[in-house]
Amino acid sequence: MRLALCCCLTCLTLLPACTTTISTTPGGDQVISRMIDGQGQTGISGQVRLKADTSPMAGAYVNIYPNTISNLLGPSQFLSAPTDAAGRYLMELPPGNYYVVARKRLSGLANGPITTGDYYSDHQRILAQVASGKLTQVDLEMLQMRAPMFFKKNLSDTKTDTGIRGVLLDEQGNPLPGGFAIAYVDNNLQRLPDYASTLSNQKGEFTLYLPKGGSYFLAARIKAWDMPHKGEPYGKYGGESALELKIKDNSFVEGIKIRLAPFTGTYKEMNNQRPL
């Protein structure tokens, strides 16, 4: 991880206004290419605010990732200094395309897992286009985490000889990297999952290790906490009804495809407890 140079934020008030240019990809990336003259600087600047009341959030850190293979979790390529009292930040970066995420931990730490009570940026897949001599303007809205993260190493990294291999696809049928499949031992998918796959690679491929054979129900998403929000890419194996998938001990089911589309259901706060 590299610490991006954060320059004097008062200069932001002297920069000319910019026009908003935002688009959304089929995979759910929100692409931002609104730029202003950097007056000798190249990078990203903006404001971090609390979504509930739009108040500025001081002490938040902005993380910059080159791709989504890590699901925008863990150490980032670049890390800002804490946002100032007005919630503003400015990071000098090389030209390129970057995913931008903001986090504020109640511990005050810049790095480490985020947990219940911490804050994270609402739209997790913001892709900023940075051009030489320009400052791309990226404002971030923060939500407070109400449910614990379920994507943890002990859910995905314990290799077994039983499981599922497949591919995540976006709404258009293209491979979706940086997402994961989740498995349930029953058809109640409105709770924390029982198992999660490895993150999908650039080809959308994932592996989901299971402790034993049995009947499972699968879904897929890109966020690692809470219930899906409207517009978040989300899908179930078998469609809306979710098909039961039977797996034998000491074997893998291959070729499973799960297509993700913008979630259109009603958001319900996640039940934090796993079943016994």
Side-chain angles (χ1 to χ4, degrees):
M1 180 187 69
R2 294 167 58 189
L3 182 64
L5 177 62
C6 291
C7 305
C8 177
L9 299 178
T10 57
C11 65
L12 294 177
T13 59
L14 304 176
L15 298 175
C18 62
T19 57
T20 299
T21 305
I22 301 176
S23 60
T24 303
T25 68
D29 294 347
Q30 188 180 89
V31 182
I32 298 180
S33 56
R34 52 186 182 186
M35 303 177 186
I36 60 177
D37 185 351
Q39 299 184 2
Q41 296 174 310
T42 298
I44 297 175
S45 63
Q47 186 182 37
V48 178
R49 300 186 297 263
L50 186 62
K51 185 174 183 178
D53 59 10
T54 70
S55 60
M57 179 164 284
Y61 291 88
V62 177
N63 296 264
I64 304 295
Y65 295 86
N67 54 52
T68 61
I69 293 301
S70 69
N71 202 9
L72 308 183
L73 299 172
S76 56
Q77 183 179 18
F78 298 98
L79 177 67
S80 77
T83 52
D84 67 10
R88 294 196 173 276
Y89 70 95
L90 190 157
M91 302 174 67
E92 287 200 68
L93 302 167
N97 296 326
Y98 302 98
Y99 287 89
V100 186
V101 180
R103 301 185 179 103
K104 182 176 180 179
R105 299 166 180 82
L106 297 183
S107 65
L109 297 176
N111 293 297
I114 54 176
T115 187
T116 305
D118 292 342
Y119 293 86
Y120 64 97
S121 48
D122 182 23
H123 195 294
Q124 195 182 17
R125 292 199 175 202
I126 294 179
L127 181 61
Q129 300 176 338
V130 176
S132 180
K134 303 289 185 180
L135 288 175
T136 302
Q137 303 297 279
V138 181
D139 294 335
L140 299 162
E141 292 184 322
M142 303 283 273
L143 295 173
Q144 190 168 32
M145 184 179 288
R146 296 182 178 182
M149 293 184 68
F150 59 73
F151 188 84
K152 297 181 180 179
K153 293 181 71 62
N154 63 349
L155 283 179
S156 64
D157 288 357
T158 302
K159 294 185 178 181
T160 67
D161 54 9
T162 303
I164 301 165
R165 295 189 181 98
V167 178
L168 302 186
L169 304 171
D170 65 22
E171 194 174 16
Q172 308 304 316
N174 302 310
L176 183 63
F180 50 92
I182 48 182
Y184 300 80
V185 296
D186 55 42
N187 62 359
N188 175 19
L189 276 59
Q190 295 188 354
R191 60 175 175 82
L192 291 172
D194 299 300
Y195 307 100
S197 75
T198 59
L199 288 169
S200 58
N201 61 21
Q202 291 288 4
K203 297 180 180 180
E205 299 167 333
F206 69 86
T207 300
L208 201 163
Y209 296 104
L210 298 168
K212 62 181 180 179
S215 296
Y216 296 90
F217 296 83
L218 302 183
R221 55 185 307 193
I222 63 171
K223 286 190 176 180
W225 52 80
D226 212 349
M227 290 289 289
H229 288 255
K230 186 175 181 180
E232 177 192 341
Y234 177 79
K236 299 176 185 177
Y237 175 65
E240 283 301 315
S241 59
L243 289 178
E244 182 180 13
L245 186 62
K246 294 186 177 181
I247 303 169
K248 296 180 180 179
D249 287 333
N250 306 317
S251 66
F252 276 82
V253 173
E254 307 280 353
I256 296 298
K257 294 182 180 180
I258 306 177
R259 185 169 298 208
L260 286 73
F263 182 70
T264 57
T266 301
Y267 168 78
K268 295 180 181 179
E269 187 171 328
M270 173 73 80
N271 178 0
N272 292 353
Q273 301 298 318
R274 284 191 175 84
L276 298 176

